[in-house]
């Protein structure tokens, strides 16, 4: 990995951003989007729908942006000079965040019955939109169809992310985090570059090992940690490929996703891509064993006896195979250790035995953390000339932990002696 790799700063210097806010609970995050655009050097003006004002006040966004907030198409003072057209011409980009299911449907059909939809039709600058809705609404065929149609109309759809929602549901539909949205905006407006980005390859989710055409061996991995790492790697400037087992998660913006089922399929893709990568993170919960011979037809229950004997054979060790690549092909290798006891002992053993650069170990027996949850806690282990060092990462959202992990991996490539960042 390049020794000067570091987190890029999203630059919007001199860019004029029109931010549309619609009526979703995620509107409270719009304040942070305004702050991040300003911090990146951009100007921002805000347009709110009537419903959005029930979730966050125009005064809040006015104070943060330093500009008057527009809320009405029929504002005589503003429209005296065709204000909505002037706003559309002023913008270098239009960003709508959050975008409700209702607003997306109206945009798809070209309605112009309020200021925001009118601006969306009049604006010829790049247009980006961040959906935010209940997971059942997002899964509905109409919502998915509308989001696809927006893409065909030239909108860049950011997210949505998956996780716990305000209503208590868990699933895809939550608005992407403000940092990811502003990063996507900055990339969209960045001048073209011929400098290739370093590549990251990340495995995520479980594998399924077939026993017969209808049964398989698997585990409880949801893939959330791996998907958080993939989204964070994109934000860190990596050209990111995600090798994913079967999960119910949306692909993070900017990530190339390869879907696999079995450990053998994941092994094949990992060894194909790892030699081209600067960073490899093995976050998938790969099954250690598979059936020696998967049955061609469904296994039937037999009348004699109460047991069934299966012959299993060991799957290839993906992370060890990547770590064993020749120096010219070997990326910086990060492994995960999901344990239920003696976490430190097993993690340090894995670090040495598999020749890894960094091990992220977590206790999956802890309630509310690890498999299926939105939060995680972990310990990071790495080697130095003085011995093995560690860092205790307390319970935090998986996106925050993902950034800590990738930050730490980058710091170790800059400082191979292993001083903690």
């Amino acid at each position: 990995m390049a020794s000067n790799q570091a987190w890029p700063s999203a630059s919007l210097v001199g860019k004029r951003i029109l931010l549309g806010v619609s009526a979703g609970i995620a509107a409270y995050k719009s304040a942070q989007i305004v702050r991040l655009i300003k911090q990146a050097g951009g100007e921002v003006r805000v347009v709110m729908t009537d419903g959005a004002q029930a979730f966050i006040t125009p005064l809040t966004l006015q104070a943060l942006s330093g500009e008057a907030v527009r809320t009405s198409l029929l504002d005589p003072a503003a429209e005296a000079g065709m204000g909505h057209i002037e706003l559309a011409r002023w913008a270098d980009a239009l960003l709508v965040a959050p975008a409700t299911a209702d607003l997306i449907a109206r945009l798809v059909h070209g309605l112009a019955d309020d200021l925001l939809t009118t601006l969306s039709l009049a604006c010829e600058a790049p247009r980006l939109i961040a959906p935010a809705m209940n997971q059942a609404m997002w899964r509905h065929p109409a919502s998915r169809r509308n989001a696809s149609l927006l893409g065909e109309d030239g909108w860049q759809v950011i997210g949505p992310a998956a996780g716990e929602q305000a209503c208590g549901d868990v699933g895809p539909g939550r608005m992407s985090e403000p940092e990811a949205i502003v990063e996507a905006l900055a990339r969209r407006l960045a001048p073209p570059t011929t400098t290739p980005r370093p590549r990251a390859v990340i495995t995520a989710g479980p594998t399924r090992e077939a026993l017969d055409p209808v049964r398989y061996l698997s585990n409880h991995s949801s893939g959330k940690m791996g998907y958080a790492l993939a989204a964070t790697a994109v934000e860190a400037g990596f050209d990111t490929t995600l090798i994913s087992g079967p999960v119910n998660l949306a692909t993070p913006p900017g990530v190339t996703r390869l879907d696999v089922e079995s450990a053998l399929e994941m092994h094949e893709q990992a060894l194909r891509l790892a030699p081209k990568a600067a960073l490899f993170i093995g976050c998938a919960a790969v099954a250690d064993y598979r059936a020696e011979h998967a049955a061609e037809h469904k296994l039937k229950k037999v009348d004699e006896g109460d047991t069934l004997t299966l012959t299993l054979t060991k799957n290839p060790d993906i992370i060890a195979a990547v770590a064993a690549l020749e120096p010219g092909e070997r990326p910086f290798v990060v492994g995960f250790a999901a344990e239920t006891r003696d976490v430190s002992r097993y993690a340090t053993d894995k670090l040495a035995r598999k020749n890894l650069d960094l091990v992220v170990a977590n206790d999956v027996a802890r309630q509310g953390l690890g498999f299926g949850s939105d939060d995680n806690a972990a310990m990071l282990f790495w080697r130095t000339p003085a011995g093995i060092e560690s860092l205790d990462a307390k319970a935090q959202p998986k996106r925050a932990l993902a950034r800590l992990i990738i930050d730490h991996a980058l710091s170790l490539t800059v400082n191979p002696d292993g001083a903690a960042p």
Side-chain angles (χ1 to χ4, degrees), residues 210-223:
L211 299 176
D212 63 22
V214 297
R215 300 183 182 92
Y216 54 82
L217 298 173
S218 192
N219 56 65
H220 295 295
S221 174
S222 66

Side-chain angles (χ1 to χ4, degrees), residues 304-338:
E304 299 83 13
D306 296 325
T307 61
L308 173 68
T309 300
L310 297 172
T311 302
L312 304 179
T313 188
K314 188 177 290 187
N315 273 322
D317 191 324
I318 297 172
I319 196 77
V322 173
L325 290 171
E326 294 297 321
E329 295 186 333
R330 185 188 187 280
F332 186 94
V333 184
V334 180
F336 272 68

Side-chain angles (χ1 to χ4, degrees), residues 47 80 88 119 183 188 238 262 280 301 338 397:
V47 173
L119 284 169
E183 188 67 36
R188 179 67 179 271
F238 286 96
S262 69
F280 183 91
K301 183 166 59 178

Side-chain angles (χ1 to χ4, degrees), residues 275-287:
K276 305 172 185 177
L279 174 66
F280 183 91
I281 304 178
C283 188
V286 183

Side-chain angles (χ1 to χ4, degrees), residues 70-412:
R70 293 286 303 277
T71 59
S72 175
L73 177 62
L74 303 176
D75 180 345
E79 291 306 311
M82 297 296 288
H84 66 287
I85 299 298
E86 289 304 315
L87 268 179
R89 291 172 178 167
W90 172 85
D92 291 314
L94 169 63
L95 169 65
V96 181
T100 61
D102 173 72
L103 178 65
I104 291 172
R106 288 192 289 134
L107 291 174
V108 164
H109 290 285
L111 299 183
D113 54 357
D114 64 7
L115 180 57
L116 181 52
T117 52
T118 302
L119 284 169
S120 297
L121 284 180
C123 185
E124 297 180 322
R127 294 168 297 165
L128 301 90
I129 193 163
M133 65 194 73
N134 170 266
Q135 57 84 24
M137 296 174 68
W138 174 250
R139 295 179 198 273
H140 194 283
S143 296
R144 305 305 292 270
R145 183 169 59 250
N146 285 342
S148 177
L149 289 171
L150 278 183
E152 293 178 16
D153 286 347
W155 288 84
Q156 179 178 337
V157 181
I158 305 170
E164 186 174 355
Q165 300 182 318
C167 60
D169 284 359
V170 176
R174 187 172 70 175
M175 189 175 83
S176 296
E177 292 303 313
E179 292 81 2
I181 293 171
V182 174
E183 188 67 36
L185 176 64
R187 287 199 306 271
R188 179 67 179 271
L189 297 180
T193 177
T194 57
T195 304
R197 291 182 292 158
R199 296 184 180 181
V201 176
I202 300 170
T203 66
T207 62
R208 290 178 178 174
E209 312 302 326
L211 299 176
D212 63 22
V214 297
R215 300 183 182 92
Y216 54 82
L217 298 173
S218 192
N219 56 65
H220 295 295
S221 174
S222 66
K224 290 180 178 180
M225 189 69 239
Y227 276 61
L229 284 161
T232 306
V234 170
E235 293 170 9
F238 286 96
D239 181 355
T240 304
T241 300
L242 179 65
I243 307 172
S244 177
V247 299
N248 189 24
L249 297 174
T251 305
V255 171
T256 299
R257 173 173 164 179
L258 298 176
D259 289 323
V260 298
E261 286 274 336
S262 69
L264 290 177
E265 292 172 344
M266 187 172 284
H267 178 261
E268 178 185 2
Q269 293 297 336
L271 288 187
R272 181 177 69 87
L273 295 170
K276 305 172 185 177
L279 174 66
F280 183 91
I281 304 178
C283 188
V286 183
D288 293 325
Y289 293 89
R290 68 183 186 277
E292 187 174 42
H293 300 289
E296 184 178 354
H297 300 288
K298 180 181 176 182
L299 294 170
K300 296 296 185 179
K301 183 166 59 178
V302 295
D303 295 332
E304 299 83 13
D306 296 325
T307 61
L308 173 68
T309 300
L310 297 172
T311 302
L312 304 179
T313 188
K314 188 177 290 187
N315 273 322
D317 191 324
I318 297 172
I319 196 77
V322 173
L325 290 171
E326 294 297 321
E329 295 186 333
R330 185 188 187 280
F332 186 94
V333 184
V334 180
F336 272 68
E339 307 292 348
T340 57
R341 59 188 176 91
D342 296 334
V343 174
S344 295
R345 180 165 66 87
Y346 286 121
T348 53
D349 173 71
K350 187 170 189 175
L351 181 73
R353 179 167 45 84
K354 299 190 178 184
N355 190 33
L356 306 181
D357 298 303
L358 180 66
V359 166
V360 181
N362 60 311
D363 184 350
V364 295
R366 292 179 60 183
Q367 293 295 318
L369 298 175
F371 286 155
S373 71
D374 294 321
D375 294 337
N376 205 354
M379 291 191 69
L380 278 58
F381 297 88
W382 66 98
R383 287 172 291 181
T384 74
I388 293 177
E389 298 281 346
S390 65
L391 173 68
D392 191 0
K394 303 297 184 182
Q396 56 192 295
K398 286 181 175 177
R399 280 298 300 270
L401 180 59
R403 179 154 187 169
L404 185 150
I405 292 167
I406 291 180
D407 272 346
H408 200 82
L410 291 172
S411 76
L412 290 177

